[in-house]
Amino acid sequence: MVSGLAPNGGRNLSGPGKRARFTSGMRLLRHADFERVYKKGRRHFAACMTVFYLAREKGGGPRIGLTVGKVLGGAVVRNRMKRRLREAIRLHWPGVLIPADIVINPKKSLLKVEFSELGNEIGRAFEVILKSVEKRNA
């Protein structure tokens, strides 16, 4: 694990009533933000997803957006993909503030991969983004 990243951001995220939530400040919400990340950002390819990211000028933590197209399946399948991704992201949320916008596009293989491997891929993606943003700002 890269120093500077905590598996759960240093917070106790387990147990009833203590579950971390994705607030509106932690998510990409506007179509224009997604488009900016796609057009101006960089890509990281993993076995079951493609991660697009773009460093922001302002500080703060990462903002994350998920896109699951209809080509990947019906609503039930797409919602399951998003639930798995959100949980993996929640468990591997970086403890360090990475000023970047991140968009994750899953592949069909996301449903077949073990959850621990999905978490490892999310963790690696955060490490790559952190290194890239640090290198850019240095």
Side-chain angles (χ1 to χ4, degrees), residues 8-73:
N8 61 6
R11 298 174 293 214
N12 182 8
L13 301 177
S14 62
K18 295 182 182 178
R19 187 177 184 123
R21 302 202 48 134
F22 287 108
T23 62
S24 61
M26 302 162 88
R27 293 181 293 163
L28 283 181
L29 298 173
R30 296 183 315 146
H31 178 72
D33 292 336
F34 281 86
E35 288 297 317
R36 191 179 67 253
V37 173
Y38 286 136
K39 290 181 180 170
K40 296 181 181 178
R42 302 191 59 165
R43 283 179 276 206
H44 169 72
F45 296 100
C48 62
M49 71 185 88
T50 303
V51 181
F52 297 84
Y53 61 96
L54 178 65
R56 289 194 320 264
E57 300 300 322
K58 301 175 189 172
R63 295 189 307 167
I64 297 179
L66 305 174
T67 56
V68 184
K70 288 185 178 181
V71 71
L72 294 175

Side-chain angles (χ1 to χ4, degrees), residues 79-136:
N79 288 336
R80 183 165 184 247
M81 287 180 167
K82 288 186 275 190
R83 282 194 308 271
R84 291 189 86 200
L85 278 171
R86 277 194 300 265
E87 183 65 10
I89 292 167
R90 185 184 72 81
L91 293 174
H92 291 84
W93 192 258
V96 137
L97 298 178
I98 304 171
D101 290 340
I102 303 167
V103 177
I104 299 175
N105 290 352
K107 298 176 184 174
K108 191 78 166 173
S109 62
L110 179 89
L111 292 174
K112 294 183 175 88
V113 72
E114 290 290 325
F115 188 76
S116 60
E117 180 58 31
L118 175 61
N120 290 338
E121 285 192 19
I122 293 288
R124 274 180 282 191
F126 281 149
E127 290 175 6
V128 167
I129 294 167
L130 178 64
K131 285 180 185 177
S132 177
V133 169
E134 286 177 346
K135 191 166 102 174
R136 182 176 181 222

